[in-house]
Amino acid sequence: LLNKKNLINIHLYDLGFYYKFYGYTFLKSILNEFSNGLLKLIKNNDNLFILGQSDYFITSNNKNKYDLEILCKQIIQYFKINNFSIQNIDIKFKFKIALNYDENPLKLISKTLNSLNNTTNYSTLNTNYNDELILKQKNNFKIAKKIKESFINNEFITYYQPIMENKTNKITIYECLIRDIKNNLKPNEIIPILQKTNLTSLVTDTIINDSFNKLSGEKTKISINICIEDLENSKLINFIKEKQKKYGVSSNRIIFEVVESFSSYSNKYVINQLKTLKDNGYQIALDNFGMYESNFSILFELDIDYIKIDKNFISKLENPKYLKIVKGFVAFAHSINTKVIAVYVNNEKIQKIIKNLGIEYSQGYYIGKPQLNI
């Protein structure tokens, strides 16, 4: 590499996730699939180097900067449009790609390596065989396959949890939730796997279609969870408009709930998608408020309609320290004309405190459990 004048550097992410969930053999299959994909795109005069498991380098003896840029775009497009399945589990590749030309390659290599997550253990030999981890990985295999089968067989069901307006004590919003009744899988089992597969947007499309159908003819609002993968889909907004027109639902009755923490400066396309939703009359709610620093930066960049204060704060409202924190959240939200939804409201004591704080909406088992109909 030191003798090359140009360098494409690709860093592959989420390897830790695949190893943790499915094991080392599955991880090796992913690496082989990614390497084979790169080999299909490079030419005879190109060279592919692999450093460790996650860093790939492509060099060429006869390509100029323009040719290398084209190759980078081809690599991005190839892994974007093609579907990949290993042991019947759908996967998608998440990577960053950088181009270096007529510059010391060590500079780029150093920057890439410095971006890797640091480990707490150095130069140690692990000889412990973890039976519990192996069993968990096998179980994750089963869950992933069940999720795929459930989607293919249309076995995902949408449930609706009521959100009460505290001023009137009436249910005015329902949050749409996905459930796999056949396999009795919990949301925390389904969502992480969905977000690492190509099923994310398809499941979101199903939720949008079903919830708009239920909302047709009703007077309430509905809240739908969307993640970064959904917002990166260029077809999302047109799909929403199409279903909205089909079922005759007005935009101001639809709330899209951002379910992940992300920096408002890390993905401008995602932010622009949210702005487009706002421009089209849809409302935006920010979930898990207070748990991530990025929540605040998004509030200043977007005209957020609702914040949902995280359950870790609401469940501890009887503690004076948490009460003061939530008071601060509420005051801040109201200062920027944003309404507040308290989640995890599971008893009368918490609900009374919430009303006294001037929080506009409550959600939780005390208000109502998820149900099949609005």
Side-chain angles (χ1 to χ4, degrees):
L1 287 176
L2 293 176
N3 298 322
K4 304 298 181 182
K5 294 183 178 180
N6 55 60
L7 179 69
I8 294 174
N9 189 350
I10 306 168
H11 182 75
L12 189 58
Y13 288 82
D14 285 341
L15 300 184
F17 169 85
Y18 289 119
Y19 171 71
K20 181 179 178 181
F21 265 67
Y22 304 127
Y24 183 72
T25 303
F26 187 85
L27 172 62
K28 293 297 291 183
S29 298
I30 285 182
L31 298 174
N32 289 337
E33 187 79 26
F34 190 75
S35 300
N36 290 334
L38 293 177
L39 289 171
K40 289 179 181 178
L41 298 172
I42 66 176
K43 307 301 181 183
N44 292 333
N45 291 325
D46 300 335
N47 299 302
L48 175 65
F49 299 86
I50 303 175
L51 177 62
Q53 293 183 325
S54 56
D55 287 286
Y56 296 76
F57 302 94
I58 299 173
T59 65
S60 177
N61 295 324
N62 59 358
K63 278 188 171 64
N64 57 32
K65 186 176 181 180
Y66 177 74
D67 292 331
L68 289 173
E69 287 178 351
I70 292 177
L71 178 56
C72 288
K73 292 176 181 178
Q74 289 174 340
I75 292 170
I76 293 169
Q77 188 69 4
Y78 175 83
F79 288 104
K80 183 177 181 180
I81 66 174
N82 287 294
N83 295 320
F84 299 91
S85 180
I86 295 175
Q87 299 182 39
N88 203 34
I89 293 178
D90 295 326
I91 63 166
K92 61 179 180 179
F93 292 102
K94 181 180 178 182
F95 61 91
K96 290 184 179 179
I97 187 167
L99 169 62
N100 192 39
Y101 190 76
D102 284 341
E103 188 176 328
N104 183 352
L106 279 178
K107 292 181 181 179
L108 182 58
I109 297 172
S110 177
K111 289 178 182 178
T112 306
L113 294 179
N114 287 338
S115 69
L116 297 176
N117 293 328
N118 293 324
T119 179
T120 56
N121 298 317
Y122 298 92
S123 302
T124 59
L125 179 62
N126 186 353
T127 58
N128 296 321
Y129 181 82
N130 193 331
D131 288 303
E132 184 178 345
L133 178 60
I134 298 299
L135 290 173
K136 187 175 181 180
Q137 290 169 348
K138 289 181 178 179
N139 186 53
N140 287 331
F141 259 116
K142 292 178 182 178
I143 291 174
K145 291 179 179 179
K146 284 179 180 179
I147 290 173
K148 183 175 181 179
E149 289 170 3
S150 293
F151 183 79
I152 292 171
N153 297 326
N154 294 317
E155 291 169 345
F156 277 120
I157 297 175
T158 50
Y159 269 57
Y160 302 88
Q161 185 168 25
I163 300 174
M164 186 175 74
E165 185 177 11
N166 289 324
K167 187 176 181 180
T168 62
N169 290 330
K170 292 182 179 180
I171 303 301
T172 56
I173 306 172
Y174 286 87
E175 180 182 356
C176 185
L177 305 167
I178 193 78
R179 293 289 185 270
D180 183 354
I181 301 300
K182 179 182 177 181
N183 297 305
N184 197 30
L185 297 175
K186 299 176 182 178
N188 61 356
E189 293 176 307
I190 297 174
I191 293 173
I193 292 177
L194 282 179
Q195 291 176 342
K196 302 299 179 183
T197 70
N198 289 318
L199 293 176
T200 310
S201 60
L202 296 175
V203 171
T204 300
D205 290 351
T206 300
I207 292 172
I208 290 171
N209 184 74
D210 291 354
S211 59
F212 281 24
N213 186 20
K214 286 279 175 66
L215 193 59
S216 180
E218 299 289 339
K219 295 182 180 180
T220 58
K221 293 182 179 182
I222 199 159
S223 181
I224 300 170
N225 293 296
I226 53 175
C227 59
I228 290 178
E229 287 80 4
D230 296 321
L231 292 166
E232 288 175 340
N233 182 358
S234 60
K235 298 178 181 179
L236 174 68
I237 293 176
N238 285 335
F239 179 82
I240 292 169
K241 289 181 177 179
E242 176 189 323
K243 296 302 176 182
Q244 181 186 351
K245 183 178 179 181
K246 178 180 178 180
Y247 295 111
V249 178
S250 59
S251 301
N252 61 5
R253 292 171 59 207
I254 301 165
I255 303 167
F256 288 103
E257 193 172 313
V258 182
V259 298
E260 290 184 38
S261 66
F262 63 94
S263 169
S264 62
Y265 303 103
S266 65
N267 193 330
K268 289 298 179 184
Y269 183 79
V270 167
I271 295 298
N272 288 334
Q273 285 275 79
L274 287 170
K275 288 180 178 178
T276 302
L277 288 172
K278 286 287 297 179
D279 291 342
N280 281 274
Y282 305 106
Q283 295 185 310
I284 305 295
L286 185 60
D287 198 9
N288 303 123
F289 184 79
M291 293 301 293
Y292 307 101
E293 180 185 352
S294 59
N295 288 164
F296 291 92
S297 61
I298 295 169
L299 281 173
F300 287 110
E301 190 158 355
L302 290 170
D303 183 19
I304 297 290
D305 299 282
Y306 306 89
I307 63 168
K308 300 185 78 171
I309 299 180
D310 190 80
K311 66 180 182 181
N312 288 295
F313 298 100
I314 299 300
S315 63
K316 301 170 184 174
L317 271 179
E318 295 179 80
N319 182 318
K321 181 178 73 173
Y322 284 92
L323 180 61
K324 287 181 181 179
I325 293 172
V326 173
K327 276 184 179 180
F329 288 161
V330 174
F332 172 71
H334 290 169
S335 71
I336 58 172
N337 298 317
T338 298
K339 294 179 180 178
V340 180
I341 301 173
V343 302
Y344 214 72
V345 182
N346 290 342
N347 60 63
E348 186 178 1
K349 283 185 179 180
I350 296 295
Q351 174 61 8
K352 285 183 178 180
I353 296 173
I354 285 166
K355 280 193 169 185
N356 290 334
L357 288 173
I359 293 176
E360 288 87 350
Y361 298 91
S362 295
Q363 178 181 4
Y365 277 18
Y366 179 73
I367 308 302
K369 294 182 179 181
Q371 57 197 41
L372 278 171
N373 295 304
I374 292 175

